[in-house]
């Protein structure tokens, strides 16, 4: 076989395995074999760059190159669908179609309405050439590089499947629930803002400038609309999509042709509960006239087709009056608008406040004080305002404008490029920011002063006793009691609590000082790498980013923190009071580099130390404890009763197994 043929064959094989895994959910080879083939192909492609192909399966990992998106005009505008919310609306739609078709027989294709973001994919000669977001429906962003990393989107269509020379296929890009939960867990650990729902997460991801990030986030795609000059004009939507499935696309779950309105209603009824078992978010059912000829006959209104409609599942929704919009300022200064409404029953609870997220969301809703607004509890926990019933709007109501200044301190708000939120920049004098930082400092995982809580912090702050965390260390019993002598006992506890923080290890101090994005785990990593506050303060971007788990965002945040002289002053005061500013002697003497660069899996039951102790030992010696066995695993620290499947995997990957005794001997 020539190298070219070998490359082509490997690409075909890997495409097939991707399809088996990501579209059919039925892998036929192990991850290991897959990785091996992928490496083989990578090597060949490196050797023979003349055969490079942007649609090769090796290109699905993305690239760190920064990209900006080009605006592209859609060949056919991307319209939206009219929404309906109840059975009567569905019956009305059905009857309109019937009338429009003047008594001709027709079928309705029922399918899921996916709650992600729409995408239009163009294929020429069986290869993906362009992926464009909906944008304003006329023009969208070219996000081809990012879309290439989505494993369930075919880069090359399956051979011999008779696809047209050129066509467009539209669908929805989604983040499955499992990926969404994992992503938010990771973000919580790093103290980054959480995504409210999978749709926002998918949208944020797809617009990422860095396609490697997209590749790691596990996006998925379902396709629901085929277009193009070569699509036979006397064909049928359902049959077209079945064809598309044979070319390698994922199509709607449970798609069904309905002959009567009863069939349609039964479909809706079934999926209203069954959708909860799907791996991705859906928010309704889409009904489409199946015959393309009949679709053309029915045509479009200015905004949407007359041959299709969306039935939205009843997200638990209520309608109530908007009385006021207030604004909350968080520890980081982010300002969140909140709708205050007449109390209303929603999904089992009484709701009177709902999030409005940010200025853009508010503007889009076009809110007026006194409006009747729809509130929903959807995939997210906090209820949100989703719309306004404009038919009930009274004349003369005043439109809500996002505030320009901080409601807490009056500072002029700022908005950073590319961010949706407004911030109060007055971090040194804005009360909720000050109190928030102190609350963080005293929290359990930070300095753990359990004799203090948010109410006491608020009280001390209002009485002018504390402005920043260093003031905690000069509090006296007399200060705390003030005129109230009954407080002596609790005051003593506070003073003792503060004193006890002098024992808190350096790692937790790094967490407690509240560097943005530095969570508990990152703080530990930084403390172990830099060993003292002075070293951390003087660390460069490059040195910071060398730490495993520290990327650009965290590194920048650390540098920025220490550039602010107010922070430096606080840290110096804390040092003066005796707060730990370096790793303890004990910790330092226990630290070695003996396991530097090693990824170690712990498995089984141990005699000499617990699993947690082994984890700490690995970290103290510069190694990393990882959970799954892969070819990157350096060795497995195995106790008794290691599972047979793990053993088998280790053997097949050639990963060595180290006993407890051997491991301890290694560190001697
Ligand atoms: S068909 C002209 N089918 O819902 C018809 N849309 O407001 C084009 N959507 O922007 C759309 N699932 O993003 C269609 N099975 C489905 C869908 C679907 C989700 C989205 C799509 C569109 C919006 C309609």
């Amino acid at each position: 076989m020539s190298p070219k043929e070998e490359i082509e064959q490997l690409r075909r094989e890997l495409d097939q395995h991707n399809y088996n895994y990501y579209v059919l959910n039925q892998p036929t080879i192990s991850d290991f074999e897959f990785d091996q083939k992928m490496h083989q192909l990578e090597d060949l492609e490196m050797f023979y760059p003349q055969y490079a192909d942007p649609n090769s399966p090796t290109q699905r990992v993305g690239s760190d190159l920064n990209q900006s998106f080009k605006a592209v005009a859609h060949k056919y505008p991307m319209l939206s669908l009219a929404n309906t919310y109840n059975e009567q609306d569905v019956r009305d739609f059905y009857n309109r179609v019937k009338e429009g078709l003047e008594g001709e027989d027709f079928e309705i294709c029922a399918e899921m309405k996916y709650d992600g973001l729409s995408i239009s994919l163009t294929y020429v000669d069986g290869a993906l050439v362009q992926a464009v977001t909906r944008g304003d429906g006329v023009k969208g962003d070219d996000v081809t590089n990012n879309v290439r990393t989505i494993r369930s989107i075919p880069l090359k269509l399956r051979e011999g499947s008779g696809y047209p020379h050129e066509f467009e296929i539209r669908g929805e890009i989604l983040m499955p629930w499992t990926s969404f939960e994992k992503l938010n867990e990771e973000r919580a650990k790093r103290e980054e803002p959480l995504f409210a729902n999978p749709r926002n997460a998918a949208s944020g991801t797809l617009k990422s400038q860095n396609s490697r990030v997209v590749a790691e986030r596990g996006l998925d795609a379902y396709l629901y609309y085929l277009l193009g000059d070569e699509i036979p004009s006397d064909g049928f939507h359902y049959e077209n999509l079945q064809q598309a499935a044979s070319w390698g696309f994922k199509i709607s779950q449970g798609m069904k042709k309905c002959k009567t309105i009863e069939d349609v209603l039964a479909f809706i009824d079934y999926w209203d509960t069954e959708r909860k078992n799907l791996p991705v978010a859906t928010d309704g059912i889409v009904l489409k006239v199946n015959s393309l000829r009949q679709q053309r006959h029915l045509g479009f209104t200015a905004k949407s087709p007359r041959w299709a409609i969306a039935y939205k599942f009843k997200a638990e929704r209520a309608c109530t009056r908007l009385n006021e919009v207030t604004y909350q300022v968080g520890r980081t200064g982010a300002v969140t608008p909140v709708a205050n409404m007449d109390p209303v029953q929603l999904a089992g609870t009484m709701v009177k406040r709902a999030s409005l997220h940010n200025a853009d969301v508010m503007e889009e809703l076009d809110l007026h004080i006194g409006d009747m607004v729809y509130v929903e509890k959807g995939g997210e926990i906090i209820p949100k305002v989703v719309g306004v019933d404009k038919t009930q709007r009274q004349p003369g109501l005043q439109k809500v404008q996002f505030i320009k200044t901080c409601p807490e301190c009056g500072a002029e708000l700022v908005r950073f490029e590319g961010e949706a939120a407004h911030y109060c920049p007055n971090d040194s004098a804005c009360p909720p920011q000050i109190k928030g930082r102190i609350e963080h400092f005293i929290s359990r995982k930070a300095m753990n002063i359990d004799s203090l809580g948010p109410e006491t912090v608020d009280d001390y702050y209002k009485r002018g006793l504390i402005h920043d965390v260093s003031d905690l260390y000069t509090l006296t019993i007399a200060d705390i009691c003030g005129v109230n002598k009954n407080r002596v006992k609790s005051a003593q506890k506070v003073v003792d609590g503060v004193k006890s923080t002098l024992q808190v290890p350096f790692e937790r101090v790094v967490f407690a000082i509240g560097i943005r994005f530095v969570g508990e785990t990152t703080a530990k990593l930084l403390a172990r790498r830099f060993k003292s506050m002075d070293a951390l303060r003087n660390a460069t971007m490059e040195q910071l980013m060398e730490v495993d788990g520290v990327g650009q965002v965290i590194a920048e945040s650390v540098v920025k923190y220490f550039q602010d002289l107010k922070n430096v002053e606080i840290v110096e005061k804390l040092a003066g009071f005796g707060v730990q500013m370096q790793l303890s002697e004990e910790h330092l003497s226990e630290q070695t580099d003996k396991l530097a660069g090693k990824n170690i899996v712990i498995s089984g039951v141990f005699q000499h130390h617990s699993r947690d102790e082994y984890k700490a030992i690995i970290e103290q010696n510069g190694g990393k404890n990882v959970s799954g066995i892969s070819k990157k695993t350096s060795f497995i620290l195995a106790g008794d009763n290691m599972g047979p499947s793990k053993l088998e995997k280790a053997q097949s990957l050639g990963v060595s197994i180290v006993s407890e005794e051997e491991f301890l001997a290694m560190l001697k």
Side-chain angles (χ1 to χ4, degrees), residues 208-249:
S208 170
Q209 304 273 301
N210 180 329
S211 58
R212 185 148 304 152
V213 170
V214 187
E216 286 162 2
R217 294 258 181 101
L219 294 178
D220 203 351
Y222 288 85
L223 286 305
Y224 48 63
Y225 191 26
L226 192 64
L227 291 132
D229 302 339
E230 296 163 59
I231 307 296
S233 59
D234 56 351
F236 296 88
H237 169 72
Y238 179 90
E239 282 70 16
N240 278 349
L241 286 195
Q242 297 301 327
Q243 281 258 309
S246 77
W247 305 336
F249 294 101

Side-chain angles (χ1 to χ4, degrees), residues 44-104:
L44 281 168
E45 288 183 348
M46 202 154 69
F47 238 87
Y48 301 101
Q50 64 270 40
Y51 305 130
D53 179 349
N55 285 336
S56 164
T58 56
Q59 301 309 299
R60 293 207 187 255
V61 293
S63 128
D64 283 328
L65 288 182
N66 215 23
Q67 44 179 346
S68 51
F69 305 117
K70 197 171 75 213
V72 177
H74 291 294
K75 191 165 171 194
Y76 316 91
M78 283 182 88
L79 301 178
S80 57
L81 296 170
N83 286 330
T84 63
Y85 297 94
N86 57 46
E87 183 182 322
Q88 192 51 49
D89 291 346
V90 175
R91 286 183 185 276
D92 290 348
F93 164 73
Y94 195 86
N95 291 335
R96 277 200 306 278
V97 168
K98 200 170 181 175
E99 253 169 57
L101 295 176
E102 295 156 42
E104 212 179 41

Side-chain angles (χ1 to χ4, degrees), residues 523-543:
K524 248 189 218 166
L525 295 170
L526 292 173
R528 293 203 181 134
R529 163 69 176 78
F530 294 100
K531 301 187 174 62
S532 74
M533 197 64 91
D534 280 340
L536 180 60
R537 176 174 156 191
N538 293 320
T540 61
M541 280 294 289
E542 291 71 37
Q543 287 168 335

Side-chain angles (χ1 to χ4, degrees), residues 93 96 116 169 193 237 287 301 372 410 435 449 497 534 541 547:
F93 164 73
R96 277 200 306 278
I169 190 162
H237 169 72
L287 303 173
T301 69
M372 292 305 287
K435 286 187 281 186
I449 312 181
D534 280 340
M541 280 294 289
V547 178

Side-chain angles (χ1 to χ4, degrees), residues 79-81 83 111-115 117-118 134 171-172 224-225 286 288 300 305 307-308:
L79 301 178
S80 57
L81 296 170
N83 286 330
E111 59 199 46
M112 302 313 299
K113 182 172 191 307
Y114 292 100
D115 192 13
L117 53 143
S118 30
R134 177 170 190 274
E172 205 83 351
Y224 48 63
Y225 191 26
V286 179
K288 299 172 182 167
F300 294 82
W307 46 265

